[in-house]
Amino acid sequence: MDALNKISPELAKISKEIPFRIPENYFEEFPDRLQGRIRAREKTGVDEKRMMAFKPYLAAAVLIIVALISGTLIFRNIAQKRSLQNLHAEISQTVERELYYISEETILRVMNYTTGQEAVTISNHTEEIIDYLMNEDIPLNEIIDAF
Amino acid sequence: MHQGTGKKASEYSDQELVGLFSEPEKREYAFNLIVLKFQERLYWHIRKILIDHDDTDDILQNTFVKVWNGLENFRLDSGLYTWLYRIATNEALSFLNQKKRRLALSLATLEKKLSDSLDADEYFNGDELQIKLQKALLTLPDKQRIVFNMKYFDEMKYEEIAEILGTSVGALKASFHHAVKKIEKYILEH
């Protein structure tokens, strides 16, 4: 290759022989291996062709199922939110209605019952102390400072 | 020799092979002739791109499977060999790109991997200069390497290469010239 010699004398020195080898009998055996592969593909290819024919329907079915599931989930979510909101409203209405009929005394009694005996005791002591201080003629600002 | 015609696979013309393939009862026979006629040239073309024998074997099979599936629609607008070469080149290039993506390799890493496999390849028996040339080739962009292989090793005409790769003759000449210069530089530096 004279042209190559002109462009690159270094390259022209290298043998053009392809330096790769192949396994023994590779080309003798290749056609049979290839035919085997093609036959195997043809067999599976029949199934693939059937699958290809059904593919659009399959895709549509998948889309419908996904839409149905998403729809159901969204609907359930909204319904749950609504029922929660309804429940909250119902509770607050009931509490309001019932509170109207409950006397302050009952509420205080319930509060005392729920906070325990200790809270009641402290409250009684405080009142006693205040009464005592008032009786002793201690000025009001000093009593306030003490608490 | 095949099926009593006394002809070797290499003696069949493209028209004869395609004609035989179009007859359902002779389809397998015609395909076998095509494989016998072109397998070696296509193997070496792919091997020079992929370096590794097993990868080459896979891609050669894929190429012929595509030929089997597509030959019915082949209209002899181009030569059979040109068409086969084009399929083989595309298959080999796709394989390289997939390999890069699959292994998340950069171009430089893939070159290094191929270069290492060259040293370790039990099916490589080149001398020191040939190893150096192959390693230099691996530093080229894939398409430039293919142009170089087709021109340098296969001694194909630019017009033939242009038809296979779908590139202009001018671009191919420039590509080959650049490839030669890069290879020469590599050889002198290593």
Side-chain angles (χ1 to χ4, degrees), chain A residues 7 19 21 26 33 37, chain B residues 47 57 62 122-123 125 181:
Chain A
I7 310 171
R21 288 187 292 120
Y26 175 73
R33 282 198 300 122
R37 185 173 158 185
Chain B
R47 179 78 187 266
D57 181 49
N62 290 351
E122 60 173 317
Y123 297 123
N125 63 348
K181 286 291 160 199

Side-chain angles (χ1 to χ4, degrees), chain A residues 18-21, chain B residues 47-53 99 110-139 145 186:
Chain A
I18 299 167
F20 302 112
R21 288 187 292 120
Chain B
R47 179 78 187 266
K48 278 177 269 163
I49 300 171
L50 302 181
I51 308 296
D52 180 72
H53 165 74
K99 199 170 181 176
L110 184 70
E111 280 165 17
K112 175 84 173 59
K113 261 182 109 67
L114 288 174
S115 183
D116 289 346
S117 70
L118 207 57
D119 289 326
D121 194 347
E122 60 173 317
Y123 297 123
F124 185 84
N125 63 348
D127 60 27
E128 205 184 322
L129 261 176
Q130 283 171 322
I131 292 177
K132 219 184 256 190
L133 171 60
Q134 287 301 322
K135 287 188 174 178
L137 278 170
L138 289 172
T139 65
R145 186 153 60 98
Y186 182 94

Side-chain angles (χ1 to χ4, degrees), chain A residues 41-51:
Chain A
R41 277 177 74 100
E42 297 255 295
K43 272 185 193 167
T44 54
V46 176
D47 295 335
E48 272 174 26
K49 272 181 191 167
R50 275 188 201 147
M51 277 298 290

